[in-house]
């Protein structure tokens, strides 16, 4: 059996079964998750409270306001206002409890999300007997940097499996030019071993050839995965999911509330009230007009002055408003029919900058928003609203920019710009009058009166579709006798099911050969060239 073929032999049963692989993936994820949950469960409550009050960039309540509130409660107790001091302590304890609870929900949010993923995997284990080869992407699907697919043996057949579903013990097919999804070793043969991220190509790089030479393509290798690749990504996510940059809204809150009001404002007002109290006590200010009891001057008056600056209700409002925004976002995602689609047809250039949805006038059902908000308060949500700060991040985005690996801003769709073909010189003699204008846009590399003449026609994007091309020369139909064979060849080599396996091997060989030169970037996916053959060459 050839490992790279789309139809393996029926008598071989390498690899794992779907149910066994999903159960193994479930067990590996659950084992890692239990370790992290147990580590967090063993953490002391004092440490949890301290982490909630120290980091002011994510917590609306810091240690300084708590200390100031305790001093104010002590001052009210000394001056005899016991009910006021008790009410202040109750509000402070409720605020601390709310902040600590929110911090715990934020730190354990990803654990609850993983429990939901494990539930989905268990559901997949029960339903996997109904899976067929048609449930997987096609084996010869074009490569994509967004979705990494891997040829894998499941239930004795090769399927195009997403790399996140690979587990230890899986048998995969490594094709030339392909990046290894994880640590794996060749089954049989020389026992070659691949590390995660290693590209299967020539083991010893050679100098780029000066002229084209014939090369034998590398064979496909059947390798056994030694470790579940998803666990490395999961471990990194569990370790670093809280290490996120501060959002602009949190930075503004920290500057305005935590520093300006609660620290600098508290110190300034306390200094002014104490200074005026000292002047009153020595008789230099308002002498004889107001009582000058030292307890009122130095304790009660400063306490009454700084009480409005204490964050007794602000953390509750901050948490409630943030969760309300997340609830609105979750409602919008769950009800796509609430979004009004733009009916006007736009050109390709306008679609890049003009939004397709009128989000300014979307009316969300309040009952649904309140339901999601209540679920968020209880810590049940499909979104990572607390740890990822989804609403704050989306609310501060002003522009989106996509940059490819070469640092060039471009539409991620490689398209043809010119068409080169050879035509018979006698063909131009019959259509001399009709091709006078087209000859201005064509380039001739041979000047012989007889024989083959090189023609080059320019192509541009269709303004109404990013996947269609148009000829710049309106008289391109004069060359249909030369363009039709080229279009038929493109369709046969790229769209015919009988040639897809051979084309996939060819793409792998081109990718492996491009590794010889660091400046080469192989473009093996076929995009607009197929549309151009359908819409232009086949008129």
């Amino acid at each position: 059996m050839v490992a790279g073929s789309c139809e393996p032999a029926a008598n071989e049963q390498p690899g794992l079964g779907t149910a066994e692989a999903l159960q193994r993936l479930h067990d590996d994820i659950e084992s890692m998750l239990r370790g992290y949950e147990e580590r967090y469960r063993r953490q002391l409550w004092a440490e949890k409270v301290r982490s909630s009050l120290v980091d002011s960039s994510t917590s609306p309540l810091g240690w300084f306001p708590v200390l100031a509130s305790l001093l104010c409660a002590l001052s009210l107790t000394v001056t005899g206002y016991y009910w006021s001091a008790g009410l202040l302590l109750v509000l402070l304890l409720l605020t601390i409890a709310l902040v600590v609870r929110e911090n715990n929900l934020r730190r354990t949010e990803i654990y609850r999300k993983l429990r939901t993923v494990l539930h989905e995997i268990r559901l997949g284990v029960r339903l996997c007997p109904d899976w067929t080869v048609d449930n997987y992407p096609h084996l010869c699907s074009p490569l994509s940097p967004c979705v990494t697919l891997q040829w894998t043996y499941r239930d004795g057949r090769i399927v195009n499996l997403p790399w996140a579903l690979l587990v230890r013990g899986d048998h995969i097919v490594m094709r030339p030019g392909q990046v290894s999804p994880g640590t794996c070793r060749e089954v049989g043969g020389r026992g070659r071993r691949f590390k995660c991220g290693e590209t299967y190509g020539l083991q010893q790089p050679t100098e780029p050839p000066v002229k084209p030479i014939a090369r034998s393509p590398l064979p496909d290798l059947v390798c056994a995965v030694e470790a579940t690749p998803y666990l490395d990504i999961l471990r990194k996510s569990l370790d670093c999911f809280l290490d996120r940059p501060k959002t602009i809204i949190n930075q503004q809150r920290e500057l305005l509330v935590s520093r300006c009001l609660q620290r600098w404002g508290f110190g300034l007002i306390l200094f002014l009230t104490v200074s005026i109290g000292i002047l009153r006590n020595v008789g230099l200010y308002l002498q004889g007009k107001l009582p000058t009891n030292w307890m009122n001057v130095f304790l009660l008056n400063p306490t009454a002055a700084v009480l409005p600056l204490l964050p007794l209700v602000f953390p509750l409002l901050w948490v409630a408003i943030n969760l309300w925004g997340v609830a609105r976002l979750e409602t919008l995602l769950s009800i796509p029919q609430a979004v009004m689609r733009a009916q006007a047809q736009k050109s390709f250039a306008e679609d890049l900058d003009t939004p397709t949805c009128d989000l300014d006038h979307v009316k969300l059902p309040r009952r649904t928003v309140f339901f999601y908000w209540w679920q968020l308060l209880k810590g049940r949500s499909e979104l990572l609203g607390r740890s990822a700060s989804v609403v704050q991040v989306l609310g501060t985005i002003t522009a989106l920019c996509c940059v490819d690996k070469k640092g060039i801003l471009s539409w991620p769709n490689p398209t043809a710009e010119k068409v080169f073909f050879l035509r018979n010189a006698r063909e131009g003699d019959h259509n001399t009058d009709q091709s006078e204008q087209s000859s201005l846009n064509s380039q001739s590399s041979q000047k012989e009166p007889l024989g083959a003449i090189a023609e080059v026609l320019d192509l541009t994007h269709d303004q109404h579709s990013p996947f269609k091309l148009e000829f710049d020369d309106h008289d391109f139909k004069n060359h249909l006798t030369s363009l039709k064979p080229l279009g038929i060849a493109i369709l046969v080599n790229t769209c015919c099911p009988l040639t897809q396996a051979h084309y996939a091997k060819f793409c792998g060989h081109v990718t492996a050969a491009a590794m010889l030169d660091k400046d080469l970037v192989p473009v093996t996916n076929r995009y607009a060239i197929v549309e151009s053959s359908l819409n232009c060459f086949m008129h």
Side-chain angles (χ1 to χ4, degrees):
M1 180 192 67
V2 180
S5 61
C6 296
E7 293 294 337
N11 56 353
E12 295 188 11
Q13 296 291 331
L16 303 175
T18 302
E20 181 184 0
L22 289 178
Q23 187 62 43
R24 185 171 297 184
L25 178 64
H26 176 276
D27 296 341
D28 291 345
I29 295 177
E30 188 175 24
S31 177
M32 179 177 292
L33 178 59
R34 285 180 178 177
Y36 279 87
E37 288 178 339
E38 183 64 26
R39 184 190 309 174
Y40 183 78
R41 193 178 296 111
R42 290 197 302 264
Q43 191 175 3
L44 299 177
W45 271 100
E47 179 63 23
K48 295 180 180 179
V49 174
R50 189 195 67 82
S51 63
S52 303
L53 301 179
V54 170
D55 190 5
S56 60
S57 62
T58 57
S59 174
L61 183 66
W63 63 269
F64 185 82
V66 173
L67 180 60
S69 301
L70 292 176
L71 293 178
C72 290
L74 179 61
S75 175
L76 292 174
T77 304
V78 172
T79 54
Y81 292 89
Y82 302 109
W83 286 103
S84 300
L87 180 60
L88 180 60
L89 288 177
V90 170
L91 290 177
L92 179 62
L93 291 177
L94 291 177
T95 304
I96 293 176
L98 173 66
V99 172
V100 172
R101 179 179 179 273
E102 282 296 312
N103 183 64
N104 290 336
L105 290 176
R106 184 178 66 89
R107 296 170 66 90
T108 59
E109 192 173 35
I110 194 171
Y111 302 154
R112 296 190 299 275
K113 186 64 176 179
L114 277 178
R115 288 295 176 185
T116 305
V117 174
L118 292 176
H119 174 73
E120 296 293 335
I121 295 178
R122 289 194 297 268
L123 183 62
V125 173
R126 293 196 297 267
L127 299 178
C128 66
D130 299 331
W131 290 6
T132 61
V133 179
D134 297 333
N135 295 118
Y136 297 92
H138 195 273
L139 285 177
C140 301
S141 299
L143 300 178
S144 173
C146 303
V147 180
T148 305
L149 301 175
Q150 175 63 52
W151 285 12
T152 310
Y153 283 96
R154 285 291 170 88
D155 300 320
R157 303 193 64 179
I158 295 182
V159 296
N160 218 359
L161 190 72
W163 72 269
L165 298 180
L166 291 173
V167 296
R168 49 186 171 83
D170 265 329
H171 285 193
I172 63 175
V173 179
M174 288 290 295
R175 294 177 290 170
Q178 182 183 1
V179 178
S180 174
T183 304
C184 57
R185 184 181 297 275
E186 181 184 0
V187 177
R190 295 181 298 175
R192 183 175 177 181
R193 191 171 185 271
F194 295 93
K195 298 180 180 179
C196 181
E198 183 179 355
T199 304
Y200 172 37
L202 298 176
Q203 296 184 0
Q204 296 180 355
T206 59
E207 293 295 331
V210 180
K211 60 181 181 179
I213 59 175
R215 295 182 181 274
S216 299
L218 296 174
D220 295 344
L221 299 181
V222 179
C223 301
V225 180
E226 297 182 349
T228 303
Y230 181 69
L231 294 183
D232 295 334
I233 303 298
L234 179 60
R235 184 180 297 106
K236 184 177 180 180
S237 300
L238 292 175
D239 291 336
C240 306
F241 79 100
L242 293 177
D243 299 336
R244 300 176 182 270
K246 300 179 182 179
T247 62
I248 297 179
I249 297 179
N250 273 332
Q251 292 178 3
Q252 294 175 349
R253 175 193 55 78
E254 183 181 8
L255 176 62
L256 179 62
V257 178
S258 300
R259 295 185 180 181
C260 295
L261 293 181
Q262 296 179 0
R263 295 184 184 180
W264 301 340
F266 183 89
L268 178 61
I269 292 178
L270 184 63
F271 173 77
L272 292 177
T273 53
V274 172
S275 300
I276 294 175
I278 293 175
L279 295 178
R280 290 177 56 193
N281 194 35
V282 298
L284 298 178
Y285 181 70
L286 297 177
Q287 183 177 5
K289 296 182 180 180
L290 294 175
T292 57
N293 185 4
W294 70 271
M295 295 184 63
N296 293 333
V297 172
F298 294 104
L299 294 180
L300 185 59
N301 292 341
T303 300
V306 299
L307 270 179
L309 300 180
L310 298 180
L312 301 178
V313 185
F314 174 75
L316 175 62
L317 296 178
W318 179 263
V319 171
I321 291 175
N322 275 276
L323 295 183
W324 183 262
V326 178
R328 287 181 57 85
L329 177 61
E330 195 166 356
T331 304
L332 182 64
L333 296 178
S334 63
I335 309 178
Q337 60 267 22
V339 180
M340 302 298 295
R341 296 287 183 181
Q343 299 296 331
Q345 184 179 6
K346 304 181 182 66
S347 65
F348 170 61
E350 292 175 344
D351 288 339
L352 296 178
D353 301 324
T354 306
T356 58
C357 305
D358 187 10
L359 299 179
D360 295 334
H361 301 86
V362 173
K363 294 183 179 180
L364 300 177
R366 293 187 178 180
R367 290 186 178 181
T368 307
V369 176
F370 182 80
F371 170 77
Y372 284 117
W373 180 72
W374 184 249
Q375 293 296 110
L376 283 167
L377 285 178
K378 295 189 296 184
R380 304 172 185 174
S381 174
E382 295 294 331
L383 300 178
L384 300 178
R386 291 179 171 88
S387 59
S389 302
V390 183
V391 175
Q392 295 186 18
V393 173
L394 293 178
T396 54
I397 290 178
T398 57
L400 291 176
C401 179
C402 298
V403 183
D404 58 16
K405 60 183 178 181
K406 288 297 182 181
I408 302 174
L409 294 177
S410 60
W411 179 254
N413 180 26
T415 57
E417 295 181 352
K418 296 180 182 295
V419 177
F420 174 86
F421 60 92
L422 299 175
R423 67 173 178 85
N424 195 340
R426 296 179 180 179
E427 179 184 350
D429 298 337
H430 297 289
N431 300 322
T432 304
D433 297 335
Q434 300 178 1
S435 61
E436 287 181 356
Q437 185 177 359
S438 63
S439 62
L440 298 176
N441 298 328
S442 63
Q443 300 176 3
S444 177
S445 61
Q446 297 181 2
K447 301 298 183 179
E448 292 81 3
L450 297 177
I453 297 179
E455 293 283 349
V456 179
L457 299 180
D458 295 331
L459 298 173
T460 56
H461 262 302
D462 187 353
Q463 294 184 356
H464 300 286
S465 176
F467 297 101
K468 292 183 180 180
L469 300 175
E470 292 181 345
F471 282 102
D472 293 348
D473 187 358
H474 297 287
D475 296 330
F476 71 93
K477 293 185 178 181
N478 296 332
H479 304 287
L480 284 182
T481 55
S482 300
L483 292 176
K484 281 187 176 182
L486 182 60
I488 294 175
I490 292 174
L491 295 178
V492 170
N493 290 318
T494 57
C495 300
C496 180
L498 300 178
T499 62
Q500 288 179 350
H502 180 75
Y503 185 84
K505 283 188 175 182
F506 173 74
C507 292
H509 174 65
V510 171
T511 305
M515 296 172 56
L516 300 176
D517 191 346
K518 62 180 181 179
D519 296 329
L520 292 180
V521 179
V523 180
T524 58
N525 292 341
R526 49 204 185 274
Y527 292 100
I529 190 66
V530 178
E531 289 287 347
S532 62
S533 62
L534 290 174
N535 295 280
C536 300
F537 299 163
M538 304 304 294
H539 279 290

